[in-house]
């Protein structure tokens, strides 16, 4: 029994901001910082932000509706709904409950997965386990990232602005969804996944606000953007998982049709691509137009590749993830 992706959906908020516009919003001119830093460091040119009436659930719901339509799955056929995001609508209960209510899904068990930018891949892995153990046959994995609500735009000094803003201003809002269904006697689906955590790096890019340590400190309610130690680790760790997974499932590197990653910066993807000696068309490039949408990056990348003809039914895909914590992941699937 394999967990096969039978439907995909994404949702991008209507309002778009260029990197120059968010740099102006953030006070680059006031603090004497030249425009173009965000694009130069991250490769992000545009991103979309939610309106006042939108939140994590609305982003996820809009993406889920498309995935449900594409897979021809009705509300009462879904056994499990997993919400996988960095952002969430409230502390308790799980945002998945709100999403299920909005979608009129009444026969499923629902829960949230939190694991930084790797939460969507973690949710897929859990869905795969549920399907393989026959605890569920149809699982809807969704993400809704309203990251702009956690971006600080009013910096007080030059030092804080230059240290934190390039990373946080690359963030964008988006929703994504995969419908995963159990299929027998097929080569399609999730074939293998490796996850590993490096807990000694947990104290990097920590958003302290809202937790019980600092429950009401407004200044700590923003994503700090201090990610350099995590990026340095991410660049050096995923290769070992990539080649191990290829060996285990019997693929060669050149057999892979497409690589999708939880992109933080364009240069990371380019460094990996050049090191592997692979062509640009095999890698996701949605970071440029949609920014870093955290957990939604994976569904955004695959959906965009499908729409552009980079992948099709039967394509061999490698997902690569890196997340605060620090967590690394490589997953192999066949469409």
């Amino acid at each position: 029994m394999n967990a096969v992706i039978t439907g995909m959906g994404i949702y991008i908020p209507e309002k778009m901001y260029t990197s120059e516009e968010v740099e102006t919003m953030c006070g680059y001119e006031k603090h004497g910082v030249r425009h173009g830093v965000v694009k130069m460091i991250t490769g992000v040119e545009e991103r979309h932000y939610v309106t006042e009436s939108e939140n994590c659930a609305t982003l996820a719901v809009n993406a889920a509706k498309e995935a449900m339509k594409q897979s021809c799955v009705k509300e009462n056929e879904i056994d499990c709904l997993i919400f996988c995001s960095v952002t969430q609508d409230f502390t308790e209960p799980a945002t998945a409950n709100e999403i299920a209510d909005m979608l009129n899904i009444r026969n499923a068990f629902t829960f949230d997965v939190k694991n930084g930018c790797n939460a969507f891949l973690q949710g897929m892995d859990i869905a795969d386990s549920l399907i393989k153990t026959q605890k569920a046959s149809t699982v809807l994995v969704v993400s809704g990232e309203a990251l702009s609500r956690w971006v600080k735009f009013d910096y007080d000094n030059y030092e804080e602005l230059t240290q934190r803003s390039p990373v946080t201003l690359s963030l964008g809002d988006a929703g994504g969804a995969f419908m995963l269904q159990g299929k027998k006697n097929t080569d399609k689906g999730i074939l293998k996944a490796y996850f590993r955590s490096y807990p000694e790096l947990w104290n990097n890019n920590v958003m302290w606000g809202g937790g019980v340590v600092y429950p009401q400190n407004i200044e700590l309610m923003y994503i700090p953007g201090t990610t350099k130690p995590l990026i340095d680790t991410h660049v050096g760790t995923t290769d070992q998982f990539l080649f191990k997974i290829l060996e285990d499932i019997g693929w060669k590197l050149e057999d892979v049709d497409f690589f999708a990653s939880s992109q933080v910066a364009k240069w990371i993807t380019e460094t990996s691509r050049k090191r592997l000696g692979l062509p640009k068309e095999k890698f996701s490039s949605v970071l440029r137009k949609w920014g870093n949408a955290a957990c939604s990056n994976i569904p955004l990348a695959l959906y965009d590749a499908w729409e552009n003809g980079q992948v099709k039914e039967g394509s061999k895909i490698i997902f690569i993830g890196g997340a605060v914590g620090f967590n690394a992941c490589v997953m192999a699937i066949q469409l």
Side-chain angles (χ1 to χ4, degrees), residues 5-164:
I5 297 175
T6 59
M8 294 182 283
I10 66 169
Y11 178 73
I12 308 296
E14 183 176 351
K15 182 59 179 176
M16 184 273 290
Y17 295 85
T18 66
S19 287
E20 289 74 18
E21 286 174 326
V22 295
E23 286 172 343
T24 297
M25 292 164 58
C26 202
Y28 269 44
E29 294 173 353
K30 178 178 72 174
H31 291 290
V33 182
R34 65 183 179 89
H35 283 293
V37 173
V38 173
K39 179 181 175 181
M40 178 183 68
I41 292 177
T42 67
V44 175
E45 298 178 22
E46 301 169 354
R47 82 283 292 129
H48 294 246
Y49 288 164
V50 291
T51 63
E52 290 186 4
S53 62
E54 292 176 313
N55 52 33
C56 298
T58 55
L59 296 173
V61 164
N62 283 311
K65 286 179 178 178
E66 186 176 6
M68 292 168 66
K69 182 179 180 181
Q70 194 179 107
S71 61
C72 299
V73 171
K74 294 182 172 58
E75 294 86 349
N76 60 0
E77 296 174 321
I78 296 171
D79 302 308
C80 177
L81 185 151
I82 309 174
F83 176 70
C84 316
S85 284
V86 171
T87 55
Q88 58 196 46
D89 283 349
F90 27 72
T91 303
E92 285 291 346
T95 303
N97 296 296
E98 178 191 14
I99 294 166
D101 186 39
M102 293 170 71
L103 289 170
N104 197 32
I105 296 172
R106 306 296 171 188
N107 300 322
F109 58 97
T110 67
F111 56 92
D112 290 0
V113 171
K114 297 283 286 183
N115 194 22
C117 293
N118 272 351
F120 198 90
L121 290 171
Q122 197 87 59
M124 291 178 64
D125 191 54
I126 294 170
D128 181 50
S129 297
L130 292 170
I131 288 170
K132 281 185 166 59
T133 56
Q134 299 183 11
K135 292 182 178 180
S137 61
T138 302
V139 182
L140 179 59
V141 181
V142 298
S143 177
E145 295 287 21
L147 293 156
S148 61
R149 300 277 174 83
W150 287 355
V151 173
K152 185 175 182 179
F153 290 103
D154 54 344
Y155 288 99
D156 297 323
N157 57 73
Y158 174 89
E159 288 73 21
E160 186 185 21
L161 175 71
T162 53
Q163 180 187 18
R164 295 174 57 178

Side-chain angles (χ1 to χ4, degrees), residues 160-207:
E160 186 185 21
L161 175 71
T162 53
Q163 180 187 18
R164 295 174 57 178
S165 71
V167 172
T168 59
L169 293 185
S170 71
L171 299 171
D173 300 341
F178 285 170
M179 188 70 74
L180 292 165
Q181 293 183 274
K183 303 290 183 182
K184 293 182 178 179
N185 304 317
T186 178
D187 294 330
K188 296 180 180 179
I190 299 173
L191 305 181
K192 195 86 174 182
Y194 288 116
F195 290 84
R196 179 166 175 193
S197 296
Y198 299 80
E200 64 273 14
L201 294 172
W202 75 268
N203 197 11
N204 288 279
N205 204 41
V206 178
M207 185 172 166

